């Protein structure tokens, strides 16, 4: 299959212009006809298919090499599209939707029969998100059906934060890629389960626990997110899989910054003496302090979006550069620290060195 790439420029991203964009109209047709289209969202690039068409959903699993028990998130463009796919909308869901939709928040509701088990991985619940990215939102609107869209990467690889990442993984396997430039957040949506009891955060993201609790009161965090014990079964099936892992072994070095820098420099020297190529993930503030290796600046500690946005791309870079070992500083930033460290810890297979 030939994968068509359509570039959408910044100045084309108004609703009025997008609704007439030939690329978007063609993408919507592909989706209606059961095909696959990758598109930008504010979190990461998604791989879309008609969420109500079991055959189309199956194609997503095949293209990504995704285990079939890992459910897909259904994406809608406006609130009017929600009642068609969920049995009930609890009060907490209404409030969160009002505050954070459209945006990087996924909520889990009891599903209606119209949503096939092929989309929900056999579950009686469905995860729903309403993206705010203008291209994503308009595409879903034009398709006229909810769009199942997991991250548009090969299963296990870091999620794609630009169209080139999607091409790297899925070229020749999908009909079209809409290239809307690099994404703004760079980490997948926050997932909150509203289908039973106290609302529970299944995956941390840009919208953090405090932001949820400001709107709906007490929430819980799935224990599997906080623990490095792989024996705890996460409630979001997808969270149990090895994810984001670069080919090289990654270690997070934690502690006072001066000690961290000194330790990484020591490990660098050792590694390079042994003939290894070493990658370092540093911040703008510290990058110049490293005395060798392939240093990648993730972003500034005073701008956490710069950090979240670059994490997956840097992990991909290190694969391309074929480094043997990676050391990373830790990034416990105020709003997204939990989300950033959740992805980094997974990428590191929970290897942490305290100094
Ligand atoms: P991705 O689309 O790659 O960002 O992954 C979607 C995530 O949402 C996975 O971790 C899934 O396990 C999770 N998810 C989707 N639907 C449900 C559901 N009905 N219940 C619990 N987790 C879900
Ligand atoms: Mg994913």
């Amino acid at each position: 299959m030939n994968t068509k790439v359509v570039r959408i420029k910044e100045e084309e991203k108004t609703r009025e212009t997008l609704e007439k964009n030939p690329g978007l109209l063609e993408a919507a047709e592909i989706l209606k006809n059961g095909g696959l289209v990758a598109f930008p969202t504010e979190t990461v690039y998604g791989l879309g298919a008609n969420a109500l068409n079991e055959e189309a959903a199956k194609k997503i699993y095949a293209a990504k090499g995704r285990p079939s028990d890992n459910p897909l998130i259904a994406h809608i463009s406006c609130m009017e599209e929600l009642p068609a796919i969920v049995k009930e909308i609890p009060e907490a869901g209404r409030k969160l939707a009002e505050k954070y939709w459209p945006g990087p928040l996924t909520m889990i509701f009891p599903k209606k029969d119209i949503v096939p088990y092929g989309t929900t991985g056999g579950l009686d619940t469905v995860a729903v998100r309403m993206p705010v990215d203008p291209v994503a939102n308009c595409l879903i609107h034009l398709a006229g059906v909810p769009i199942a869209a997991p991250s548009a990467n090969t299963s296990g690889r870091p999620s794609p934060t630009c169209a080139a990442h999607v091409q790297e993984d899925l070229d020749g396997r999908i009909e079209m890629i809409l290239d809307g430039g690099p994404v703004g957040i760079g980490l997948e949506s926050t997932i909150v389960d509203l289908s039973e009891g106290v609302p529970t955060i299944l995956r941390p993201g840009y919208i953090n626990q405090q932001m949820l609790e400001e709107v709906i009161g007490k929430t819980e965090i799935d224990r599997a997110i906080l623990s490095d014990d792989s024996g705890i079964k996460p409630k979001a099936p997808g969270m149990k899989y090895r994810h984001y892992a670069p080919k090289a072994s990654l270690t997070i070095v934690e502690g006072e910054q001066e000690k961290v820098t000194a330790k990484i420099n020591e490990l660098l020297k050792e590694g390079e003496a042994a003939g290894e190529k070493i990658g370092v993930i540093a911040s703008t503030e510290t990058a110049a302090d490293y005395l060798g290796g392939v240093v990648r600046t993730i972003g500034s500690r005073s701008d956490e979006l710069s950090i979240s946005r670059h994490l997956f791309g840097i992990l991909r870079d290190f694969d391309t550069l074929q480094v043997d070992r990676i050391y990373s500083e830790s990034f416990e930033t105020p709003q997204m620290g939990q989300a950033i460290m959740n992805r980094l810890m997974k990428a590191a297979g929970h290897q942490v060195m305290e100094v």
Side-chain angles (χ1 to χ4, degrees):
M1 180 187 310
N2 182 33
T3 302
K4 184 169 178 180
V5 181
V6 175
R7 173 97 178 99
I8 313 274
K9 299 199 196 85
E10 257 350 273
E11 63 268 25
E12 296 174 306
K13 290 185 183 174
T14 63
R15 185 61 167 238
E16 226 193 342
T17 312
L18 287 172
E19 281 182 359
K20 287 181 255 157
N21 183 296
L24 234 72
L25 290 165
E26 187 181 344
E29 278 310 305
I30 295 171
L31 292 171
K32 280 184 204 168
N33 294 326
L36 302 183
V37 176
F39 58 93
T41 81
E42 64 274 24
T43 58
V44 302
Y45 271 70
L47 176 60
N50 179 349
L52 305 183
N53 175 340
E54 191 140 31
E55 290 309 310
K58 270 191 196 151
K59 289 186 193 167
I60 289 182
Y61 290 96
K64 283 178 58 83
R66 181 177 173 107
S68 63
D69 68 341
N70 188 358
L72 307 174
I73 296 172
H75 292 69
I76 58 176
S77 74
C78 61
M79 212 49 196
E80 288 68 39
E81 294 167 3
L82 186 61
I85 55 174
V86 308
K87 258 195 188 143
E88 56 190 302
I89 307 169
E91 182 61 19
R94 269 182 216 289
K95 286 185 176 162
L96 286 174
E98 196 165 304
K99 175 88 178 174
Y100 296 120
W101 273 4
L105 177 67
T106 295
M107 295 190 256
I108 293 174
F109 302 99
K111 79 170 188 72
K112 272 197 177 150
D113 291 343
I114 190 175
V115 183
Y117 285 118
T119 297
T120 67
L123 299 173
D124 288 314
T125 52
V126 59
V128 188
R129 181 163 105 78
M130 188 194 295
V132 69
D133 177 277
V135 176
N137 198 286
C138 188
L139 175 66
I140 298 160
H141 167 73
L142 291 174
V145 286
I147 300 297
S151 49
N153 53 297
T154 301
S155 230
R157 290 212 77 198
S159 297
T161 51
C162 64
H165 296 161
V166 180
Q167 250 178 321
E168 219 172 79
D169 286 10
L170 299 177
D171 194 33
R173 297 172 156 262
I174 63 179
E175 276 84 351
M176 191 190 269
I177 300 172
L178 291 173
D179 176 0
V183 302
I185 295 175
L187 300 179
E188 304 85 346
S189 59
T190 306
I191 302 180
V192 57
D193 187 354
L194 303 174
S195 66
E196 53 180 11
V198 180
T200 304
I201 299 167
L202 307 187
R203 178 170 76 185
Y206 178 85
I207 311 261
N208 66 19
Q209 186 172 28
Q210 188 191 333
M211 292 161 78
L212 296 171
E213 292 193 339
E214 276 165 17
V215 180
I216 56 169
K218 189 174 158 44
T219 61
E220 277 169 6
I221 301 187
D222 187 15
R223 280 202 310 145
I225 293 172
L226 303 172
S227 160
D228 59 0
D229 176 359
S230 54
I232 299 179
K233 188 167 171 260
K235 284 188 184 157
M239 296 292 278
K240 71 172 179 274
Y241 295 107
R242 188 179 148 89
H243 241 96
Y244 321 121
K247 290 170 189 147
S249 143
L250 164 63
T251 304
I252 302 166
V253 185
E254 276 186 355
E256 249 173 71
Q257 188 54 51
E258 265 177 38
K259 289 186 186 161
V260 168
T261 311
K263 186 69 190 178
I264 293 181
N265 273 326
E266 182 191 319
L267 293 162
L268 249 175
K269 217 167 146 191
E270 273 173 32
E272 294 196 325
E276 286 181 339
K277 190 170 176 182
I278 311 285
V280 177
I281 305 181
S283 60
T284 317
E285 290 79 7
T286 56
D289 300 335
Y290 294 102
L291 307 171
V294 185
V295 180
R296 280 282 179 276
T297 306
I298 189 168
S300 167
R301 288 185 181 275
S302 62
D303 172 10
E304 44 185 323
L305 275 171
S306 71
I307 294 176
S308 63
R309 186 186 290 151
H310 295 129
L311 174 61
F312 289 146
I314 288 179
L315 294 177
R316 277 177 182 261
D317 271 358
F318 282 141
D319 280 353
T320 311
L321 292 164
Q322 297 186 305
V323 298
D324 299 296
R325 219 173 272 285
I326 306 166
Y327 296 108
S328 178
E329 296 175 7
S330 108
F331 303 96
E332 313 271 3
T333 57
Q335 183 186 323
M336 266 188 294
Q338 189 172 47
I340 293 168
M341 290 312 292
N342 169 262
R343 307 315 193 273
L344 196 56
M345 285 290 242
K346 278 178 162 245
H350 295 274
Q351 285 189 87
V352 180
M353 193 181 277
E354 303 279 348
V355 293

